[in-house]
Amino acid sequence: VGLGTGTPRTLLDVQGVLRTTAIAENVDSGLAVTGSAPNRKVILDLAQSSVFELRNPPTDGGTFTLKITQNSTGGFAVDVDSFKDLNLTTPIPVYWPGGVVPTVTTTANRTDIYSFKFFNGSAITTAGLYGVVGGQNFS
């Protein structure tokens, strides 16, 4: 169904302003994982979804990196300190150097890189993640 567009690009395609009182977001759980340990790579395609579900972290430990690039408009806030367990009920603590949570760059066409390390994937909701800033405001 296309609203405001002659050619729908998905099952429901609304072009223009949308006002709603309730909405359910698409959760993309069919993420493509490439490579093998320790060089696995997951690509989050924001054109497909804005919510992603990646299951089964290794029980021992691991790392992952987020590359966040603003579009040509910029201004999008991103929370790099809010992670939850598989059921989306229990927060996963994130520890930052000096206890300072970084603010993601919101300038148009700029990129930030954040990496996370965990040492106990089987108890990640208590052991937590250790976050570091790889760099901010790349142009």
Side-chain angles (χ1 to χ4, degrees), residues 65-68 111-115 132-136 138:
T65 300
L66 297 177
K67 177 185 175 192
I68 302 168
T111 298
D112 288 359
I113 298 172
Y114 304 93
S115 293
V132 293
V133 177
Q136 292 184 298
F138 290 100

Side-chain angles (χ1 to χ4, degrees), residues 21-136:
T21 57
I23 191 166
E25 293 187 87
N26 176 47
V27 176
D28 189 349
S29 59
L31 299 175
V33 179
T34 61
S36 57
N39 298 310
R40 290 186 188 101
K41 183 177 185 180
V42 177
I43 297 174
L44 306 179
D45 185 351
L46 294 176
Q48 298 298 316
S49 181
S50 62
V51 179
F52 300 90
E53 181 178 89
L54 184 60
R55 296 177 178 263
N56 302 325
T59 57
D60 51 356
T63 62
F64 63 95
T65 300
L66 297 177
K67 177 185 175 192
I68 302 168
T69 301
Q70 296 285 335
N71 67 9
S72 60
T73 304
F76 297 97
V78 179
D79 184 355
V80 293
D81 195 55
S82 180
F83 293 87
K84 291 190 178 180
D85 69 350
L86 184 59
N87 298 317
L88 301 176
T89 55
T90 306
I92 298 171
V94 182
Y95 305 104
W96 296 96
V100 178
V101 178
T103 301
V104 174
T105 302
T106 58
T107 306
N109 298 312
R110 297 299 172 99
T111 298
D112 288 359
I113 298 172
Y114 304 93
S115 293
F116 300 86
K117 175 76 176 165
F118 59 96
F119 296 93
N120 187 348
S122 61
I124 200 164
T125 57
T126 54
L129 300 169
Y130 292 84
V132 293
V133 177
Q136 292 184 298

Side-chain angles (χ1 to χ4, degrees), residues 1-9 12-18:
V1 175
L3 303 174
T5 179
T7 308
R9 297 160 288 202
L12 175 62
D13 190 358
V14 178
Q15 186 169 328
V17 178
L18 173 66

